[in-house]
Amino acid sequence: MQHFPIGPFINAAAIALGGILGAFFGDKIPERIRTGLIPFFGLASMGLGIVSLPNVKYFAAVVLASVFGLIIGELLHLETRLNKIASSVRGIVNKVFPSEGLSHEEFLDKYVALVVLFCISGTGVFGSMHEGMTGDPSILYIKTILDFFTAGIFAISLGMAVSTIVVPQLSVQLSLFFLATLIVPLTTPDMRADFYAAGGLIMLATGLRIMGIKSFPVANMIPTLFLIMPTSYLWHTFIAN
């Protein structure tokens, strides 16, 4: 039975509303609160990454897929391409909603991190697939709470550009939702656990980037999510057994 995609739309509404409220009313939030919340969001992202790891089945397969995923991302210059898209979005949005404060490089760095966090985190991808198969949007509800506050705080400096992320976010989550009936039956619980762990590593990298500790090329890590399930299967078939 086909389910209606509730989670992706709730998630999109939270990002859009959070971005709008942050852009228009965020300056009323005391600076000390804003300063304290941004590192916390990075910490929360790292927390989501950490809780994704304990159930991993073949961590060696996760590492292998991550290495090759990063290499592919670097060869395809995904980070650079996303930076160009982000730059174009900023130019379009600023014509309607001028924003000030961040340098061009700071804007791109934070925007790219948010695109990854909102659109292609392990939680979002797995949550979309899970809802598509079971009709249970609970995983995306957890993500929605974090995304609402994250969008609001970052919109204070990034402006209305934050709300534009709902376009790729909805595209990714709805695509995965409707493809889940084809994808998930071909996988095993171990493959899904390894997939979740691979997404967790990207979430950890995203958290470190948001906190300004280490600027990982998170966009270049995206191909990992496409490699991990077949890598996990091959590891189980030819190495583990």
Side-chain angles (χ1 to χ4, degrees):
M1 182 178 68
Q2 183 65 61
H3 307 285
F4 182 78
I6 298 174
F9 285 105
I10 295 293
N11 195 188
I15 294 172
L17 180 60
I20 292 171
L21 292 177
F24 285 101
F25 305 108
D27 57 352
K28 297 183 174 17
I29 300 176
E31 179 64 28
R32 64 183 183 278
I33 295 179
R34 284 185 265 167
T35 303
L37 281 177
I38 290 179
F40 171 76
F41 293 139
L43 184 64
S45 177
M46 294 178 65
L48 285 172
I50 291 172
V51 300
S52 302
L53 295 174
N55 294 323
V56 63
K57 180 64 176 179
Y58 303 114
F59 193 70
V62 172
V63 172
L64 185 63
S66 298
V67 170
F68 281 103
L70 180 57
I71 291 173
I72 292 173
E74 291 285 355
L75 292 175
L76 294 177
H77 303 288
L78 293 182
E79 184 93 1
T80 300
R81 295 175 190 276
L82 191 53
N83 282 343
K84 291 180 179 179
I85 295 173
S87 181
S88 300
V89 168
R90 186 184 194 186
I92 295 172
V93 173
N94 276 353
K95 292 179 180 179
V96 183
F97 303 102
S99 62
E100 301 176 355
L102 291 180
S103 68
H104 187 65
E105 290 73 18
E106 290 174 323
F107 175 89
L108 292 178
D109 193 58
K110 293 183 182 300
Y111 189 85
V112 168
L114 286 179
V115 168
V116 173
L117 181 64
F118 290 161
C119 302
I120 52 175
S121 67
T123 305
V125 173
F126 184 76
S128 301
M129 294 170 62
H130 177 74
E131 185 183 356
M133 282 299 297
T134 67
D136 177 17
S138 59
I139 296 175
L140 288 180
Y141 285 167
I142 296 172
K143 181 177 182 294
T144 294
I145 295 171
L146 176 63
D147 287 355
F148 173 75
F149 291 103
T150 302
I153 292 298
F154 277 90
I156 298 172
S157 55
L158 298 181
M160 289 293 294
V162 171
S163 294
T164 66
I165 298 177
V166 300
V167 177
Q169 175 262 325
L170 265 179
S171 299
V172 170
Q173 290 188 2
L174 288 176
S175 296
L176 289 168
F177 177 93
F178 290 113
L179 288 174
T181 54
L182 298 176
I183 296 174
V184 176
L186 301 176
T187 66
T188 65
D190 289 343
M191 292 167 65
R192 293 194 293 272
D194 289 346
F195 171 83
Y196 203 45
L201 290 181
I202 296 178
M203 291 291 287
L204 282 169
T206 301
L208 290 170
R209 181 168 182 163
I210 290 175
M211 296 174 73
I213 297 175
K214 177 65 177 179
S215 185
F216 282 98
V218 287
N220 288 339
M221 299 170 71
I222 294 173
T224 300
L225 297 177
F226 297 93
L227 296 178
I228 180 54
M229 284 192 178
T231 302
S232 177
Y233 172 78
L234 292 173
W235 191 275
H236 169 78
T237 302
F238 297 105
I239 299 178
N241 291 331

